Structures are given as structure tokens and as C-alpha cells.
Amino acid sequence: MSAHAPHERPDTGVSPLSVQALLARERDRYAQTHPRSRELAGRAAEHLMFGVPLHWMNDWGTSFPLQVAHAQGAQLTDVDGHTLVDFCLGDTGAMFGHSPAPVAAALQRQATAGLTTMLANEDGAVVAQLLAERFGLPQWQFAMTATDANRFVLRWLRAATGRPVLLIFNGCYHGTVDDVFVDLIAGQPVQRPSLLGQVHDLLPTTRVVEFNDLAALEAALAPGDVACVLAEPVMTNIGMVLPQPGFWEAAQAIIRRHDTLLVMDETHTLSSGPGGYARAHGIAADAVVVGKALGGGMPCAAYGFTADLAARAQAAKRAAPPGHSGIGTTLTANLLAMAAMRATLEQLLRPEVFAPMHARAAALADGLRALFQRHGLPWCVTQVGARTEFQFCAQPPHNGSAAGAAMDPTLEHALHLYLLNRGVLITPFHNMMLVCPDTTDADLTRLLQAMDGALKELGRG
């Protein structure tokens, strides 16, 4: 989910009047064909704030929230009986499909043998060993969400280094960690105004630069007070922003020169393969965060450290006074979550599972490029493993500001709702599509045909 400063509508090659007309038609169609969802949404509004369990579930562009009946593999069925091909997949949480068989079986076995105990079991050691093998970092700890994992890592690294400042890239996504809600507006850092209830000024301890800007990175680290650079190896939540050739190689040298640590948040870029994007592209991080898909859809996350950083973190803990460290929650590493992670790592986070996902994502990306070219639209398509994104600009953006300037929420809503009404679901907030092991060639065809229909209607407007 993204929330950034408003900007002028980009030149998408599509008439704004045509977009508004399509959105109005599709909202009418949705309302007519989803009476049961409307009924349940009305019932939910009695006791749920905003009528949904979490307020951003209203951000799909529908006139009332879609209500899910069940989901399996690459499909979900709503309460009105419509079956949709799902390319959202819980915004990566269900990257291996809904209720993948190995995870479902592991959960069934564990459910009768204890859900949570606040104690260790064999799965913990096995999961940590498998994570070490996949990601190349020897020491691990767990969390319930990637947000928690990022928050805990920041505490550990500030304690280990004695440095207070965090450096992030403009437009980044690291969950709801308070520290990361700082944007560059006209080149100046600004605490994001949409952040609710924030009473502390983030600017003294959060520094922000543009992705791919090596000079800005060097300048931001020069004071010697930055504990770590927290980064996605590819920016993923403001559209997609790829690292330019040589960026991470040079960035790592700069980070090391200033004795700063590098944290790779692989929550979305796990789509790249069993060890994430960093392992696949030779980025040597001091710490890695993995969430969402790690438990096949169960709430769980993990973070790993190099041996040196783990030793420094443990020393900081032992030197601290007794009491709560601010790290960890009671349900962290519960038995159910550990079982889910073990099943995912042993049976799903494997090269042979990723290979067909990557191939179909590449076919989807090629199909979208051909469609946009045929319709004369200046839109680009980017792929990172099983993850594909289209953006309303001719060339892939090089930083968060450029990516944000290419976003058009009204056009997104119109396209997403048109697809939904024709049995295809993609991610809200931007234009991400994810391929899972259960996605078929027929599913790709269905998405591309529906997108073709939407573009034809927009062109006639």
C-alpha cells in the first residue's frame, strides 16, 4: 500500500473523460452483479470501522468491498459465486498459491499438537538452518510480520552500532515501521502527512535519498551517524524501480566505506527465487528481512544476520540492563507459524517451484508489452522473478519520485475494476501481478484478453 504526495495526472495516452466513463460503467456493473457482497458489506458496517477489518481494504475502487467465500491455488470465489483468477495473491502473502498443500497439511498436523507455547521446538532449529542455506546468513530470529522484523532489526542495529540514524530510499516500502514514513518532496525530506497519530519528529533520525543516486547516498552517509541503510533490492510498492546497472555494487562499497550496515528487505522481492533478489544478484547484506510468503500465507517473518553482526547484537543485549528490549511479541515464533515456515522452506522455496513461475511471469510481461504497443500506449512493463508490474510511463522509472509521478489512481481503479468484473484480480494501490505455481497459461490468456477489452474501451472514449 502506498500513500504519497499528490501530483498532476501523468500523460498516460488515455483521455481522462474516457477513464471516468469506464470507471462509472464498471462500478454500475459491479454493483449489479455483487448483491451478496453488498449485503454483507452493509452488515459489516454496523461494527467494523470503515466497514472492513482493515481500512485499506476499501482501496480497490469498488463501490463496496468484495467479500471472499474461499480461495484455493490461483483462484478465489466471492460470495456471489464469481470465480476469479487471482494475480494479487494477498499482495505476495499467497505467492505460492492459496492454501498450498504442504502448508495446509503441516498446519493440520500442528493444530492438534499445540498452537503457541512461548517455548522452542525442533522446527525452530530446522527453519533457521534452511533460512541460512537459502539466504547465506548464519544467524536468525523471528517475527509475526515483516513490519515487526524491520522494526526489530532497526533496534538491534542501532544498539549494535551506537548510531541513531536510519537511511531509506524515497518511495520505499517496509511495512508500517514509523521510521520509514519520510518522503522527498521537491528534494526536501518531509514527514509523510498521511501518517496518523505520529507525535515524534522523524526527520532527525531518518535520512532519505533517491534510489539509484550514488552521490546522494555518499553525502547522506558522510556524517558517520547512520546505523544502517534499509532497502528493498528493487523498489516494489510505488510501482517498480529497478537498480541501474552497477548501482548495488557501487552502493555496497560506499556503505562499507562509511562503516554502515546494509539491510535487504526481501518481503516482495522473494519472487526472485529461493534466496531472494540479493542472493541471486550477489548483494552481500549484513541483514535480511523475509516476510509474507515465508509461511505460505500464515502470519510470520524472519530476519537473518551475518556472524559478526549477530555477535555485536548479542553483546549489546547482554550489556543492557534487565528488562524488556522492545524486541519480540508473545506470539512470535508460535508453533503453528514455525510449522508453516518449515513446510514452505522444505517444499515450496525451491528452484524447481520458481522456474515455471518465472517463465509464466515473463510470458505475461511480454504479452502486456505487445498489448500496449498495439494500442499505442506509452506504458512500460517490468518483471522481477514471478512479479510483474506495468506503469503509465514509456520507460521504467529510475527512482521513487519518477515512479510516483507516473501513478494515476483513477486509471488504476478503472482498469482493476474492469478486470475484476471479468474474473481477473490484480493488486490495488498500483499495477502488480504475481504468478504462483498454480497459475496456468489459460489464466494468462484470460488476463490479457480482459486487459485488451479495457484498452479498447478506453481508446473508443
Side-chain angles (χ1 to χ4, degrees):
M1 179 177 54
S2 295
H4 300 278
H7 60 271
E8 293 184 5
R9 183 180 182 274
D11 182 9
T12 63
V14 178
S15 161
L17 293 178
S18 176
V19 174
Q20 292 285 359
L22 179 63
L23 182 57
R25 290 197 301 273
E26 293 306 314
R27 280 180 171 161
D28 286 343
R29 176 171 178 156
Y30 175 84
Q32 293 169 12
T33 55
H34 293 80
R36 180 64 175 152
S37 274
R38 182 199 290 274
E39 178 187 344
L40 291 182
R43 175 185 173 188
E46 295 179 13
H47 298 291
L48 285 173
M49 288 175 58
F50 305 99
V52 283
L54 284 172
H55 63 87
W56 47 255
M57 290 181 178
N58 280 323
D59 290 353
W60 290 84
T62 56
S63 44
F64 48 85
L66 184 72
Q67 307 285 324
V68 175
H70 59 87
Q72 182 69 50
Q75 295 186 335
L76 62 82
T77 302
D78 67 27
V79 294
D80 288 286
H82 306 113
T83 297
L84 295 90
V85 180
D86 189 3
F87 289 92
C88 172
L89 295 168
D91 193 22
T92 307
M95 189 175 76
F96 297 111
H98 295 291
S99 297
V103 177
L107 293 176
Q108 285 180 325
R109 289 193 300 269
Q110 187 61 51
T112 58
L115 303 180
T116 188
T117 61
M118 211 172 66
L119 295 168
N121 75 338
E122 180 186 357
D123 285 346
V126 173
V127 169
Q129 179 183 346
L130 292 170
L131 286 167
E133 292 171 358
R134 299 289 193 277
F135 293 93
L137 294 175
Q139 295 286 296
W140 289 83
Q141 287 279 270
F142 299 99
M144 288 298 291
T145 67
T147 288
D148 281 345
N150 280 315
R151 184 179 293 116
F152 301 160
V153 165
L154 292 182
R155 284 191 177 273
W156 283 121
L157 270 57
R158 282 171 166 155
T161 63
R163 294 180 173 189
V165 179
L166 163 69
L167 189 143
I168 58 171
F169 291 106
N170 186 39
C172 66
Y173 179 71
H174 302 292
T176 56
V177 178
D178 291 359
D179 307 68
V180 305
F181 286 94
V182 177
D183 298 318
L184 280 178
I185 307 297
Q188 296 300 311
V190 176
Q191 186 165 305
R192 193 174 298 174
S194 62
L195 184 58
L196 292 173
Q198 179 63 38
V199 296
H200 302 293
D201 184 2
L202 300 176
L203 298 185
T205 54
T206 298
R207 210 160 288 160
V208 57
V209 299
E210 292 286 9
F211 198 63
N212 284 315
D213 190 336
L214 292 169
L217 177 64
E218 179 90 58
L221 296 180
D225 56 355
V226 176
C228 69
V229 175
L230 174 60
E232 303 169 274
V234 175
M235 296 186 68
T236 62
N237 209 61
I238 190 165
M240 195 105 77
V241 181
L242 291 169
Q244 292 178 340
F247 170 72
W248 275 121
E249 182 180 9
Q252 288 177 89
I254 293 170
I255 292 167
R256 285 194 297 270
R257 186 160 61 247
H258 292 283
D259 199 25
T260 301
L261 299 168
L262 175 61
V263 182
M264 289 274 101
D265 184 348
E266 295 269 16
T267 298
H268 286 159
T269 51
L270 187 60
S271 64
S272 302
Y277 187 97
R279 193 82 190 273
H281 292 83
I283 303 171
D286 299 284
V288 167
V289 169
V290 191
K292 289 194 178 180
L294 185 58
M298 275 291 294
C300 53
Y303 54 95
F305 291 164
T306 62
D308 176 70
L309 178 54
R312 294 167 69 184
Q314 290 177 86
K317 170 59 178 166
R318 293 188 178 109
H324 203 301
S325 63
I327 297 168
T329 58
T330 304
L331 294 178
T332 293
N334 65 77
L335 300 178
L336 206 58
M338 300 308 295
M341 285 187 283
R342 180 171 180 172
T344 301
L345 283 157
E346 287 182 335
Q347 301 188 54
L348 298 175
L349 211 64
R350 303 174 64 85
E352 60 269 28
V353 174
F354 278 93
M357 293 165 62
H358 290 179
R360 285 203 169 92
L364 174 58
D366 288 342
L368 288 170
R369 291 188 187 104
L371 266 182
F372 300 154
Q373 183 177 21
R374 188 163 75 247
H375 286 276
L377 293 170
W379 301 355
C380 66
V381 181
T382 306
Q383 179 198 353
V384 174
R387 186 183 185 96
T388 303
E389 180 100 25
F390 65 89
Q391 290 159 281
F392 305 131
C393 50
Q395 298 296 325
H398 62 281
N399 62 32
S401 290
M407 301 183 88
D408 185 333
T410 305
L411 179 53
E412 289 172 10
H413 283 166
L415 289 172
H416 297 181
L417 190 50
Y418 185 98
L419 296 176
L420 188 157
N421 282 334
R422 285 149 189 86
V424 177
L425 194 72
I426 72 172
T427 307
F429 326 130
H430 45 109
N431 301 305
M432 192 277 286
M433 295 144 290
L434 191 62
V435 168
C436 76
D438 299 288
T439 305
T440 66
D441 292 339
D443 295 335
L444 303 188
T445 299
R446 188 170 181 179
L447 189 158
L448 292 170
Q449 288 178 343
M451 180 66 75
D452 189 34
L455 299 182
K456 287 176 181 175
E457 292 209 30
L458 288 171
R460 284 196 290 268

